[in-house]
Every structure is written in structure tokens, then in C-alpha cells.
Amino acid sequence: MDSDAWKIIHIPDKPTCPPEHQPTWKVYASVIKPKFANTIVRQLCKIAPLEDLRHVKRVRKKILQDHGETQLTVILCLAPEHNDHLNDLPLDVQKLVDPYELSPFITEVCKYAAVSKEEWEEQCKIWPTSFHPPTYNIDGISGFSEDDTQSIFKFMRLVIDLAVSEHKPIVNAAVIVDPSVRRIIASETDQVYPSSTPRDMTTTETSPFNETGDDRVTNASSQIFLNGIIEKLNGSLSDVACLNPWQWCLQPHETEKCSQWHPLRHASIVAIESSSARDRYLFPNSAESVSPDHVLPSDADIPAKKQKTSSHSPNVQKNCSEEAPRDPPMERPYLCTGYDIFLLWEPCTMCAMALVHQRIKRIFYAFPNPTAGGLGSVHRLQGEKSLNHHYAVFRVLLPGDAHNALNHGLKHAVS
């Protein structure tokens, strides 16, 4: 895809690094006799499994050039990171040394699985690993069809327009979308400043995304739209909440306006609040919804999960381009489960964690957050294994000229 086209890239759950400079882990290894290979590997898998190194092959096979013989080397177990002594070999592993004539030594293997063929080729120079090309099939999240791709670009255009056209100075914007019907659930901007006026959410309604007619994102129309955005970008991004999460506390405390500032009302948080207000408005008599993680007793006659009706439900109109509101789902959705959120700037760690709690499915943002980014620039919450929910994160690259110009403005704003 050329630089003048839109592009969607996946932000992985671990930092990228040059293929030749990948993090490594020390291990104990030993050359073994081929006739003992199966027995030794079976015993090592029981006493010293490599749970965190599943991408690493336990046995390395090498053909000796001088004799043409096959040499097998096996990983015995992990080694201490800051100790190069063989005395720390675990007792269970030591018991294998004499019977199988082992000669333990310390070597290194790559710590993380390769995410590209280039990484994999460099890894195998150190120790052989397995390589599985990454896909977008993350917890049921599939890849993008042409229609999906065009919808993503359109929602991102909406976010850009919302962040720039309605506010002076520029702020961050968030649009929450139900991707099953391409319906906007909430669209908000930063409201941390005294001049921001919270929206009256008692009449919150969702709106279908109009896809009638030939409205594809062409390069020409995109560049005209984005050039207009660049003109409005004056280089000052100090009011973008996620880029400057501590900006509110730097205001003079003696001013009356200081007490009106709210440090938590970033675009993502306000959009979540708006989505919740929408649910309360559409389901005024609905009891609090049950978390999908909560399992009821087996003899209960109530379903364990609260399910939203899909676009195939008879209560939802099939024509997505219909301007009239659809009938609401039969049951109140659980938080933002299954929804996408589109942001102009990468969310800070506070917003990223709020989106975890809301069970967001996918996050799309256009520009990185080098000061406080929670999804790739500084931290990567999407890769935190201790969390009970994980979403997929994507960056939407704008066509070349606009992308470079806006990134240039961002660098000046945070420098």
C-alpha cells in the first residue's frame, strides 16, 4: 500500500525491536547422544518445563561439517539471569548429568516469539525457534474486509473532524461504535477544561452510519479533507488531555477557574459515560446487567450471560443505511462489550485501563502518545497478562502528507 493511502497496522502486545537486537534469556544446555534424546526430553519436560519459552525448540540439531555427523544439543532448564556458574543447576537436572554423560554449559535463547520473518531468521542464528505469522484473530477478532476497512477510515475521519472543527484549541476525540451494525454509540471530546460544557445525555440517542451512495474514501477526497485539518493545526497540542494528563495541576491554584477543572474527563472517559447514559435512557426499567464473567448456579433458569441482540435479530432492522432509529435490543448491553472505539490520539494509561474495564473489543487511534501512551508508545496494557480482559489495538495511518505533517506538529507540541 503506497504512502498516499490509508493504512491499518496492528499494535502488538510487546515492543518491537530490531531483529538483530532481540531480548534473550539464559539457559543451561548440553550436547547429548542421539540415542538418549527421547528419554532425556521426556524427563526434562516433567522436571523443567519451559512454560515461558514455548516458541523455543528444546533440541537443536546441527550437522558437523568436519565429520558429517549429527550433533544434538538440548536445553536443560532456565539459568539465573545474573549468574554464570554451573553450580546453580537444579538438583533434579543434576541427577541426569552422570547417567547420560551431559556436559552443561550456559547459552542464550530469544525471550519472545518472533512477530516477523526477519525476527525469526535472526532468532534461529542464536537458537532455533518456531514462527507463526501473526494475524488479527485475537480472541475472535477477525481481519478486515474491504467494507470493514472503508468503515474504519470513515469513523476515523469523523474523529478527526470532531477533534478539530468543534473546538479551539484542538482536543482529543472519541467515537464508540457497535461494529455489528456500524452504529455510533457515543461521540465525545475532552472536557477537562472550564470552557467545556458537558452534553445533556438525558436525550442521548445513537445514530446509524450513513453508507448510502458511492462514498468510498478516495485518495483525492481524503487529501482535501486532511489538508484542511493541517491548516487548523497550529502546532499547539497542550490542551489534548491524554497527551498532557498532568496539565490540569499546573494551573494557578489561586484562580477561580482552577476549581472547575476536572482531571478525569478525557475523551474516552466522557464517551464511556455517554454510552452508559444511553443505556439508562434506552432501558429505564432494566435491572443492572449481569457481567459475562459471572456464572449463575447450574439449576438457575436465568441465562448466565446477558446477550445483546445482533443485527440478525428480528428486533433490529436489517437496513443499516436507514436513518430512522432501530428498535433497541431486547436486553441492556453489558458495558461496552463488543464495541470499537476510535480516538485521534493514543489513550493515556488511565483511559486505556478504563477501556479494559468497559470490555471494549478493538481500539483504533491515529497518532501516538509519546508522553503517556498506554497502548504502544510508553506502556502496552494490551499485553498485560494479569488483566481479565484484553482488546486488540490498531493504528490508522493517514495518507502520507497529512500523516507526516500532523506527526511533525505532535513532536513540536511535546518537545
Side-chain angles (χ1 to χ4, degrees):
M1 187 174 293
D2 58 53
S3 61
D4 291 330
W6 296 69
K7 186 177 181 181
I8 305 172
I9 60 173
H10 177 237
I11 306 299
D13 58 5
K14 74 177 185 70
T16 57
C17 60
E20 65 277 9
H21 294 110
Q22 299 180 62
T24 58
W25 212 327
K26 291 183 180 179
V27 295
Y28 290 112
S30 175
V31 175
I32 60 174
K33 295 183 178 180
K35 64 179 181 179
F36 296 141
N38 289 336
T39 303
I40 292 175
V41 170
R42 280 199 300 267
Q43 293 190 48
L44 288 174
C45 287
K46 292 180 180 178
I47 63 178
L50 303 177
E51 292 296 333
D52 295 327
L53 294 174
R54 296 186 179 219
H55 60 286
V56 178
K57 295 186 178 181
R58 189 123 205 179
V59 178
R60 179 177 65 187
K61 182 179 179 180
K62 184 178 180 181
I63 304 299
L64 299 178
Q65 294 181 352
D66 295 339
H67 308 286
E69 298 178 355
T70 299
Q71 182 188 74
L72 299 182
T73 307
V74 66
I75 296 176
L76 301 176
C77 62
L78 297 178
E81 282 296 305
H82 304 291
N83 193 340
D84 293 333
H85 299 293
L86 297 176
N87 298 333
D88 294 324
L89 200 66
L91 182 60
D92 288 341
V93 178
Q94 288 183 22
K95 292 179 180 179
L96 303 178
V97 173
D98 292 335
Y100 298 106
E101 304 175 19
L102 304 181
S103 300
F105 62 92
I106 293 178
T107 187
E108 294 182 342
V109 298
C110 285
K111 192 171 184 178
Y112 302 111
V115 297
S116 68
K117 187 176 180 180
E118 291 74 21
E119 282 192 8
W120 174 66
E121 290 174 346
E122 289 296 328
Q123 287 188 359
C124 291
K125 294 178 182 179
I126 303 175
W127 189 279
T129 64
S130 58
F131 172 58
H132 302 286
T135 67
Y136 292 148
N137 294 322
I138 305 170
D139 292 334
I141 299 172
S142 60
F144 305 113
S145 66
E146 179 63 21
D147 287 342
D148 291 336
T149 300
Q150 293 299 323
S151 290
I152 289 169
F153 295 160
K154 290 177 182 178
F155 284 123
M156 187 56 69
R157 284 165 56 102
L158 177 62
V159 166
I160 296 171
D161 194 37
L162 186 65
V164 176
S165 64
E166 291 189 4
H167 291 268
K168 293 182 180 180
I170 295 171
V171 294
N172 203 3
V175 174
I176 297 177
V177 174
D178 182 350
S180 64
V181 290
R182 294 175 183 170
R183 175 176 288 273
I184 297 173
I185 302 299
S187 58
E188 300 289 350
T189 58
D190 292 334
Q191 292 183 2
V192 298
Y193 305 107
S195 59
S196 302
T197 303
R199 186 178 300 184
D200 180 8
M201 290 177 288
T202 59
T203 58
T204 299
E205 295 182 3
T206 58
S207 57
F209 195 62
N210 187 7
E211 294 187 311
T212 59
D214 186 10
D215 191 25
R216 293 197 173 274
V217 182
T218 64
N219 290 344
S221 62
S222 293
Q223 200 60 56
I224 294 173
F225 170 79
L226 294 169
N227 284 340
I229 300 300
I230 296 173
E231 292 178 1
K232 297 178 182 178
L233 185 62
N234 57 11
S236 175
L237 301 175
S238 61
D239 293 316
V240 178
C242 278
L243 293 178
N244 307 280
W246 294 99
Q247 184 78 2
W248 63 275
C249 70
L250 301 179
Q251 303 305 309
H253 291 280
E254 65 274 6
T255 64
E256 182 179 346
K257 287 186 177 181
C258 181
S259 62
Q260 302 175 29
W261 284 47
H262 200 303
L264 304 182
R265 294 187 65 79
H266 294 203
S268 297
I269 306 294
V270 181
I272 289 171
E273 182 180 296
S274 180
S275 174
S276 178
R278 163 193 175 272
D279 289 345
R280 292 193 300 271
Y281 176 72
L282 294 178
F283 307 93
N285 299 321
S286 173
E288 290 298 321
S289 56
V290 179
S291 165
D293 299 327
H294 175 65
V295 179
L296 296 177
S298 58
D299 58 348
D301 57 358
I302 302 174
K305 294 183 179 180
K306 291 281 187 178
Q307 299 290 344
K308 296 192 287 104
T309 54
S310 68
S311 57
H312 301 291
S313 168
N315 294 305
V316 179
Q317 299 178 19
K318 294 183 179 180
N319 186 1
C320 293
S321 63
E322 191 79 26
E323 288 296 331
R326 296 177 180 82
D327 293 333
M330 292 295 292
E331 297 180 2
R332 179 175 175 172
Y334 178 67
L335 303 175
C336 293
T337 302
Y339 291 166
D340 295 339
I341 187 169
F342 294 81
L343 297 154
L344 186 54
W345 275 281
E346 174 190 355
C348 63
T349 51
M350 177 186 72
C351 292
M353 195 63 203
L355 296 172
V356 169
H357 290 308
Q358 285 294 311
R359 304 298 196 269
I360 284 287
K361 183 179 182 180
R362 300 183 301 189
I363 298 175
F364 299 88
Y365 67 83
F367 302 106
N369 181 347
T371 57
L375 301 177
S377 298
V378 180
H379 305 284
R380 289 179 188 254
L381 265 68
Q382 68 269 42
E384 181 54 55
K385 295 181 180 179
S386 63
L387 299 178
N388 64 350
H389 174 75
H390 296 87
Y391 38 56
V393 181
F394 302 91
R395 183 178 174 191
V396 180
L397 296 180
L398 279 59
D401 293 343
H403 170 261
N404 294 334
L406 285 172
N407 268 337
H408 180 73
L410 176 60
K411 291 179 181 178
H412 281 283
V414 299
S415 60

